[in-house]
Structure formats: structure tokens, C-alpha cells
Amino acid sequence: MNPARRIRDEIAASIQSGAWRPGHRIPTEQELAARYGCARGTVSKALSELAASGLIERRRKAGSFVAHPPVHSAVMTVPDLAELIAARGEAYRWQALAIERLTGGDDGFARPALAIEGVHFAADEPFAFEQRRIALGEVADAADADFEAQAPGTWLLAHIPWTEGRHVIRAVTPTRKEARLLGIGPSTACLELDRTTWRAGGVVTHVRQLFRGDRFDLVAEFRSGLESARPS
Amino acid sequence: MNPARRIRDEIAASIQSGAWRPGHRIPTEQELAARYGCARGTVSKALSELAASGLIERRRKAGSFVAHPPVHSAVMTVPDLAELIAARGEAYRWQALAIERLTGGDDGFARPALAIEGVHFAADEPFAFEQRRIALGEVADAADADFEAQAPGTWLLAHIPWTEGRHVIRAVTPTRKEARLLGIGPSTACLELDRTTWRAGGVVTHVRQLFRGDRFDLVAEFRSGLESARPS
DNA sequence: GAGTGGTCTAGACCACAAA
DNA sequence: TTGTGGTCTAGACCACTCC
């Protein structure tokens, strides 16, 4: 077995089993190198990985310590809707309701922009209602895309990879119009997902998606950061 | 500047700016070492960090390539409610409604177990309703804890650090009883958070929390995995 | 077979913070 | 001042996989 991996995993096991409590001091790199019979660089690599995963905290001169657990950091996978629905084995369809070019006005979003409204369908039933703005200053190509044929999220994913962003998730009661578009009663709870997406400091797009509460839920997982099996 | 960090950041910038598209081949470690005038180990460290953050993919003999972006992996912070409310500057209070020891029966949860129901208050108004089970086989100490005085989540966080788990988030309409406990109308949408928590393969606790939709929302952020500033 | 990443070594120097 | 982590080097060998 990999020496570095072995050191890393044994320490991680000591922490996760509760044998080493938060605040516990971990042996120094030199001590570990002697104990495992390897070079200090190898120990350093193992401890660096543990620190990167948040399990331990390292301070110069003081040493390495078991970190205090973060309150809860979970990884949530927010799929592209077209892929999500296809993965469920249902037919996916996007229907644009309105596409408008915004040049003036001020709603806090950059101009010029594209404003798009539409509905995502799964198996020919409404699944989510979407309202989006795209900053043409950041994504000039978007002006030529055909958002009647392709959902803007799918297009953006293919053309603007590696963005940063922020979601806000809440439960809301839909407006009458929204309930009608989603084919639900006016008091059915909906999950609202607000996502703002940046690249290099500039806002690329903002989208508000409204899901039928009875058809969609989000899943988030938290692990100790290690052995990151690829989420599929 | 750190050579390793400099290499890492320059490559990351090339990817995030869109100059290097997904699939683009990155120079070999040897080429980069020559270009930056440093040892191959330094380059290797930089590329390993990029690979760990998911920005690139490395294959032996073939080389390193810009990865295809994950659909969306966002990090969600799920705070301890006592801390969350204290951080808002409001008074926090926990009120237990029922505490029961389960020895028989079968609801899919291990026995013996503790079943707890209660309400979290912020500024003396109901904030969330909670139903929880704790597996006493995994957490024997919990039998002696005073869950009238302290919310079980707070106790568990202090006594069982470093767990793994899974959240399911959805929007629901509360039952009459739940609406009454939360002090809301029966058609106010609520955010439901179902969390199962493991340690070493065994389920430690399961909790269902119901939040007033008008008082609570979740935030999740996605970055490129680098320069992880600690979420506060 | 040959090129690439993966890992390890032994040593060195530096930066920083605690004592 | 001193102990600790942080980083870098030059070299070595291995493992994998594409050709």
C-alpha cells in the first residue's frame, strides 16, 4: 500500500472513529516519518491532504490538530434538467414562452441582456418553470443561440464551462400564473431555486426555477472529504 | 510567489477564462517544469491540486486534459439551528414536545432508539419543527443526555463529530398539526429537510426538519474548488 | 516499447508563531 | 530563540497505457 495513503487513512480512521477528538494533537511530521519509516515529505503529503479535506488543521510551530467539525457542509448536485429527466427515462422537452432583448431599464442586472421564460416538461407534463436573464456583455454568442429549440441552461453549460455561482433554495407558494403553467393547484408547495452564475467576476446569468414540490427534490451529501468517488 | 501556486493559478485561469476548452491537452510535467524553471515535483504538485479540485483530468501516458465540467456541484452549508439563529442576533430556544424510548416495532430504524419531537424558536416565534430518531446502539451516551434542555442536534454535534450523511430537500405543504406548531396558515409552503447521518457504516440519527418557507432558505455555492476560503 | 503520470527519498532552506 | 510546518530540488523507480 501507498505509504502516504496509508498514513492518511489511518489518521482519518482515528478521527472518524472518535478515538481522536477535535483539538487532539497529531504527532509531528518527524515523529510520523520515524514511526512509518518514510521520508518527511511523504508524511507532509498525507497531512496536507487531510488538511485540504478539512479533517485536520495545521499551524506552524504549534503542530497539527484534529479540526473542529464544520457545522455541516454538504455537496449538492444540481443537474441540468434535460439530463436529469433523461436519466429518469422520461422524455424531455423545453418550451419557450417569451424571449426578449433588454437594452434599457434597471432591475439590477447588466444590460444588454436576454430575458427568457419557459417551461421544462418531463413525459409531456410540466416539470419546472424558468425565468432567466443572460448578460450579453459576458456571453455575446448567446444572442445567436436558438432558445426556442434548446433550453438556455443546456446551451450555457456547453458554451460557458467552469463558472462559479450561488444557489438560494426556498419553499414558496406559486402565483396563479405559475400554478397554471405547472398544472398544479394554487396551494401546492413549490421548490424555488435561484441561481446566479459568475465568470471572472462578471455575472453571466441569473435564473429562477420553480419546481413542483411533489415531483422534485434535491439531494445533498456530506462526507469527510476523502475518497471522493466521482458523483455520477 | 510560490512556484507551485503560480503554475496552478495560471493554468486555472486559462481554463476558467475559456482559453482552454474542456478536452484541451495541458503541457506535460516536463514541459511545464522547463517553462517555469522548476523541478518536476513542483509541477506535479500543482497539477495534482488541479486534478483534486476537478479542473483537470490526468491519464498516464496520455497526459493531462481540461476536464469536462461537472453538471453542477454546489456546497451547501447546513448550520446548527442554535448557531444559525444566534448569528442572526435573535434569541434561540428549543422546546421538546415528546421524548420516547423505542424498543420494539419496526419503522426501518434500528432499535433501541430515542424518538424526539420538538420545536426550534427564534425570537420566541416558532422557526422549525423537528422529528428525530437516535440509534442508541451507536450512541449509547445519548440515553443520558437531557433533550428537554438541549436540542438533540446541538448535543450530537458536540459528541459525534465527523459523520457522513445525506440530505433530501423538498417543498411540502404542512399538515394541520405542523402548521399549528409553526404558527402558520395551513397552505404556507414549508421547506422539508430530511437528514440521515452515518458513522463507520452505522446510521446514527435521522431527522426531519420542517421550516417555515417565509423564514428560511438554504444557500449553496459552487466554485472551481480552489482557493477555498473557509465558509463562515 | 516508450512516454506519461505517481510516488518516494534525502536533504535543504525558509516562514512563522509560540515559548 | 526554536520548533514546526511549507516548500523546493534532483534524482530515482514504478505503473500504466497508448502506440
Side-chain angles (χ1 to χ4, degrees), chain B residues 97-112:
Chain B
L97 298 175
I99 301 178
E100 193 182 349
R101 192 186 172 105
L102 307 176
T103 51
D106 183 10
D107 53 4
F109 197 88
R111 293 290 191 273

Side-chain angles (χ1 to χ4, degrees), chain B residues 27-58:
Chain B
T28 67
E29 293 188 348
Q30 292 202 358
E31 289 168 342
L32 288 170
R35 179 181 313 175
Y36 285 95
C38 65
R40 184 170 77 95
T42 304
V43 175
S44 179
K45 187 185 171 193
L47 294 186
S48 294
E49 289 176 13
L50 288 168
S53 77
L55 267 183
I56 71 171
E57 191 180 324
R58 316 191 70 191

Side-chain angles (χ1 to χ4, degrees), chain A residues 166-210:
Chain A
R166 172 188 165 97
H167 301 268
V168 177
I169 301 148
R170 51 172 89 84
V172 297
T173 306
T175 64
R176 288 217 181 87
K177 173 194 166 196
E178 290 162 350
R180 182 169 44 78
L181 287 171
L182 287 175
I184 55 178
S187 65
T188 304
C190 288
L191 199 67
E192 176 184 328
L193 204 146
D194 263 62
R195 176 168 59 234
T196 306
T197 304
W198 292 271
R199 190 180 64 170
V203 171
V204 170
T205 183
H206 172 86
V207 62
R208 171 175 178 265
Q209 291 174 326
L210 201 68

Side-chain angles (χ1 to χ4, degrees), chain A residues 55-118:
Chain A
L55 268 183
I56 70 171
E57 191 181 325
R58 317 190 72 192
R59 293 202 304 273
R60 285 182 162 131
K61 162 66 184 173
S64 299
F65 302 85
V66 176
H68 287 82
V71 174
H72 264 143
S73 285
V75 175
M76 184 182 68
T77 299
V78 182
D80 178 55
L81 293 182
E83 283 189 26
L84 168 71
I85 290 166
R88 288 191 190 189
E90 298 178 339
Y92 170 78
R93 184 164 61 86
W94 155 256
Q95 182 178 359
L97 298 175
I99 300 177
E100 192 183 349
R101 192 185 173 108
L102 307 177
T103 51
D106 183 10
D107 54 4
F109 198 88
R111 295 290 191 272
L114 225 46
I116 301 165
E117 281 192 14

Side-chain angles (χ1 to χ4, degrees), chain A residues 10-22 24 66, chain B residues 161-162 199:
Chain A
E10 288 190 13
I11 292 175
S14 297
I15 295 172
Q16 289 168 350
S17 73
W20 291 356
R21 313 270 312 171
H24 178 272
V66 176
Chain B
W162 300 118
R199 189 180 66 170

